[in-house]
C-alpha cells in the first residue's frame, strides 16, 4: 500500500510539472536569456569585446541588451502569438554597433509570432523569420 501511494504521488508530481509548461510553451520562453544569433536572415557578428545582444522575458516585461544600450519594454504573449509593442532603450550612441542595435529593435517591432525549435527561438512576422535567438 505504501508503494502504491508513493507511485501515485510521483505520478501527480510529474503530471503537474507537465501542465505547468502549458500547451503554448509560455513557461519555456519566460525567465530565460535569449541570445540573438541572426537578424533579417543574416548571422549576427559583434565586434571583438562586445557582448552578444540578448533579451529576457519576465513577468514584469522585457529586458535585454542591444549591442550598445540596455533594452526594456513590454511584450504580449498568447499561444503562438508574440509581439513587442513597447520596446525602448537607453540612449547611448555606439558607432561600431548602432546599426545592429537598430536592426534588432526594428525586428522586435515587426514580430507577431514565434516558434521554438530545440534551444532556438524563431521570432516571426507573417510566418517569416525576422530573428533567431538561442537559449543560454
Amino acid at each position: 500500500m505504501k508503494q502504491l501511494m508513493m507511485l501515485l504521488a510521483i505520478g501527480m508530481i510529474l503530471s503537474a510539472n507537465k501542465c505547468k509548461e502549458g500547451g503554448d510553451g509560455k513557461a519555456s520562453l519566460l525567465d530565460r536569456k535569449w541570445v540573438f544569433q541572426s537578424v533579417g536572415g543574416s548571422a549576427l557578428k559583434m565586434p571583438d569585446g562586445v557582448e552578444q545582444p540578448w533579451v529576457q522575458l519576465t513577468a514584469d516585461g522585457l529586458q535585454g541588451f542591444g549591442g550598445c544600450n540596455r533594452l526594456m519594454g513590454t511584450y504580449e504573449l498568447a499561444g503562438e502569438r508574440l509581439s513587442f509593442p513597447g520596446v525602448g532603450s537607453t540612449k547611448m550612441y555606439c558607432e561600431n554597433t548602432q546599426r545592429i542595435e537598430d536592426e534588432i529593435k526594428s525586428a522586435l517591432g515587426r514580430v507577431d509570432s514565434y516558434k521554438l525549435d530545440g534551444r532556438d527561438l524563431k521570432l516571426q512576422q507573417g510566418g517569416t523569420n525576422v530573428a533567431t535567438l538561442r537559449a543560454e
Side-chain angles (χ1 to χ4, degrees):
M1 183 69 161
K2 196 173 194 178
Q3 288 178 333
L4 179 60
M5 294 299 282
M6 182 73 108
L7 287 173
L8 286 173
I10 290 172
M12 289 175 63
I13 290 169
L14 292 174
S15 66
N17 284 340
K18 191 167 195 146
C19 291
K20 181 180 177 185
E21 193 68 24
D24 61 5
K26 183 175 181 177
S28 297
L29 290 179
L30 299 182
D31 299 320
R32 295 179 87 172
K33 185 175 182 180
W34 295 98
V35 179
F36 281 87
Q37 304 299 304
S38 67
V39 177
S42 298
L44 203 58
K45 173 95 171 86
M46 299 303 287
D48 288 340
V50 177
E51 181 183 7
Q52 196 77 2
W54 58 273
V55 295
Q56 184 174 22
L57 307 179
T58 70
D60 295 326
L62 172 138
Q63 61 183 353
F65 175 71
C68 178
N69 291 286
R70 288 178 24 105
L71 301 175
M72 71 283 290
T74 60
Y75 66 91
E76 295 176 358
L77 176 61
E80 290 184 0
R81 312 255 339 132
L82 175 64
S83 62
F84 301 94
V87 175
S89 67
T90 53
K91 300 294 182 192
M92 293 186 298
Y93 178 80
C94 300
E95 187 174 339
N96 292 340
T97 59
Q98 195 63 52
R99 179 189 57 78
I100 293 168
E101 184 169 298
D102 291 344
E103 288 176 11
I104 287 171
K105 290 193 305 189
S106 175
L108 289 173
R110 294 190 312 270
V111 171
D112 61 16
S113 62
Y114 75 95
K115 294 228 184 281
L116 285 173
D117 183 11
R119 289 183 38 224
D120 290 345
L121 169 62
K122 296 178 186 238
L123 301 179
Q124 300 183 325
Q125 177 188 30
T128 302
N129 286 350
V130 296
T132 301
L133 298 84
R134 181 159 294 144
E136 190 171 84

